[in-house]
Amino acid sequence: MRTALLACWMLVLLGPVNTAHAADPANPLITDHGLFRPLVIVSPQRDDDYQRMRTQLRASHAKFEARDMVLYRVENGQGYRNDEPMTRFETQALLKALTLDDDASLTTVLIGKDGGKKMQLEGFVAPETVYHIIDQMPMRAAERD
């Protein structure tokens, strides 16, 4: 009985666990909480849509950085954070936290500074679409003021 009460109080005090903060300590999103807006792109191959997204993201780098973003990529199962390779454990923890498979179709996920999923789309996503979503967030509006 005391154990059940303690567990209930812990849930009340801690609240629900957010997607980006899944229990796996290898999850790299944990270190981004409150600091960055992670953009995660998962692609089983370097197809034309993926290449076009990467080119447009590079061309709009100043807009990307102005929104406190960090880029995660998973290509053919290999993860990268801002072009730095991640370990296999970090990559798998990232995918698990976002409930994604590394062999699924091209998928883009935007995570807010609060750790919540703000967008998840398949196929090509223009960076301007991502920036527009971020610019509509209350926290982003407060940052601009």
Side-chain angles (χ1 to χ4, degrees), residues 76-89:
N76 299 319
Q78 173 59 55
Y80 301 88
R81 182 183 188 279
N82 284 341
D83 295 326
E84 293 294 323
M86 297 188 315
T87 68
R88 179 175 58 93
F89 301 108

Side-chain angles (χ1 to χ4, degrees), residues 43-94:
S43 180
Q45 59 191 6
R46 291 179 171 219
D47 64 6
D48 291 340
D49 283 342
Y50 175 74
Q51 295 292 15
R52 189 165 45 129
M53 284 178 65
R54 294 279 294 135
T55 300
Q56 289 185 12
L57 280 170
R58 274 190 227 100
S60 66
H61 189 70
K63 292 180 181 182
F64 188 89
E65 284 193 343
R67 289 164 178 82
D68 298 329
M69 297 176 71
V70 61
L71 178 63
Y72 286 91
R73 298 180 291 121
V74 179
E75 300 173 358
N76 299 319
Q78 173 59 55
Y80 301 88
R81 182 183 188 279
N82 284 341
D83 295 326
E84 293 294 323
M86 297 188 315
T87 68
R88 179 175 58 93
F89 301 108
E90 291 170 325
T91 302
Q92 290 306 310
L94 171 71

Side-chain angles (χ1 to χ4, degrees), residues 7-143:
C8 287
W9 274 108
M10 291 298 288
L11 284 175
V12 168
L13 292 174
L14 296 176
V17 176
N18 200 316
T19 307
H21 296 288
D24 193 339
N27 181 359
L29 295 175
I30 293 170
T31 60
D32 295 326
H33 185 76
L35 301 173
F36 298 104
R37 293 180 178 93
L39 182 66
V40 182
I41 302 173
V42 180
S43 180
Q45 59 191 6
R46 291 179 171 219
D47 64 6
D48 291 340
D49 283 342
Y50 175 74
Q51 295 292 15
R52 189 165 45 129
M53 284 178 65
R54 294 279 294 135
T55 300
Q56 289 185 12
L57 280 170
R58 274 190 227 100
S60 66
H61 189 70
K63 292 180 181 182
F64 188 89
E65 284 193 343
R67 289 164 178 82
D68 298 329
M69 297 176 71
V70 61
L71 178 63
Y72 286 91
R73 298 180 291 121
V74 179
E75 300 173 358
N76 299 319
Q78 173 59 55
Y80 301 88
R81 182 183 188 279
N82 284 341
D83 295 326
E84 293 294 323
M86 297 188 315
T87 68
R88 179 175 58 93
F89 301 108
E90 291 170 325
T91 302
Q92 290 306 310
L94 171 71
L95 293 170
K96 183 179 178 184
L98 298 174
T99 60
L100 296 172
D101 292 321
D102 60 357
D103 60 353
S105 61
L106 176 61
T107 304
T108 303
V109 180
L110 174 63
I111 308 295
K113 283 186 177 182
D114 64 358
K117 242 187 224 187
K118 306 302 181 187
M119 174 201 83
Q120 181 170 336
L121 297 171
E122 290 187 10
F124 176 81
V125 178
E128 291 303 323
T129 301
V130 176
Y131 303 149
H132 178 74
I133 291 169
I134 291 171
D135 291 344
Q136 302 306 307
M137 295 177 184
M139 188 180 291
R140 174 69 176 151
E143 291 169 356

